[in-house]
Amino acid sequence: MQLVLSPVSSDAVGGRHADAYRAGSASPRQLLTAVLVWAYGPIGYGPWRAARSLGADPGGKRLVYALEEVSAPAPDEEALRTAYRRFGDPDQARLPWLGPGLLTKVLSFVGYRRGVGGVQPLILDRVVASQLPAEAGVGRRNGWSSEQWLAYLRWAAEQARARGVEPDAVEMAVVPDR
């Protein structure tokens, strides 16, 4: 018997799993597992890295702490900054192999509120960063600070407002092959 895996869509993670987490019917570990499966796909090192990240937080307490602010009905910039910084705190919420590219995926799925407009959490990984214009405020290809991430989010919010689209449409336009 051959096992055939179908790809996990970002809509499935951002929709069902994030909604279930916010509603309390999915654990933080279930949410992180879904994000890691989506992010890594079938890459050979993905399961190893995912196991290390999940193994560092068996009860999900670090994730709950990191996601507390963005789980609110309408997270503002300060909530986004706090959540990003919490993921970087080795004493409270940092998880191995969960750098800025992956943590912004988690924050985007949990914190994005469609139809609200304004600054929304978006993914910032090497692929996105390599395509952003200088005015987006991201000067490096990795290791971004919370302030660089917020500069990108503000830029995307302004681009979205000017075009009458959602901020995530700006992200997708920057990297059209995603």
Side-chain angles (χ1 to χ4, degrees):
M1 179 169 148
Q2 182 179 15
L3 177 64
V4 178
L5 299 175
S6 61
V8 177
S9 72
S10 61
D11 289 338
V13 177
R16 287 192 310 260
H17 291 84
D19 290 346
Y21 172 76
R22 284 191 300 268
S25 59
S27 74
R29 288 173 52 82
Q30 288 170 320
L31 172 69
L32 181 59
T33 300
V35 171
L36 294 174
V37 167
W38 173 76
Y40 287 132
I43 295 172
Y45 58 77
W48 183 87
R49 287 184 175 179
R52 297 312 176 274
S53 294
L54 291 164
D57 191 21
K61 291 178 184 172
R62 294 170 88 73
L63 283 167
V64 168
Y65 176 71
L67 297 173
E68 181 178 48
E69 299 293 320
V70 294
S71 297
D76 59 12
E77 282 190 41
E78 189 54 37
L80 297 175
R81 177 183 292 107
T82 298
Y84 189 101
R85 288 180 176 169
R86 284 181 177 181
F87 266 118
D89 182 346
D91 295 327
Q92 298 294 324
R94 187 170 182 199
L95 296 173
W97 296 102
L98 203 66
L102 281 170
L103 76 85
T104 59
K105 287 172 176 70
V106 175
L107 294 175
S108 177
F109 290 133
V110 173
Y112 197 96
R113 300 298 187 267
R114 191 158 301 287
V116 174
V119 174
Q120 294 286 333
L122 300 173
I123 295 168
L124 180 58
D125 58 17
R126 285 185 211 160
V127 175
V128 172
S130 71
Q131 301 298 313
L132 289 172
E135 54 270 13
V138 177
R140 299 174 5 185
R141 290 185 52 113
N142 60 20
W144 309 279
S145 68
S146 60
E147 294 311 314
Q148 288 172 308
W149 183 55
L150 286 169
Y152 160 54
L153 301 183
R154 288 184 205 106
W155 173 83
E158 178 54 31
Q159 298 299 311
R161 187 198 60 72
R163 290 164 176 73
V165 298
E166 286 282 329
D168 65 346
V170 174
E171 174 191 312
M172 297 308 287
V174 168
V175 186
D177 293 338
R178 254 202 185 156

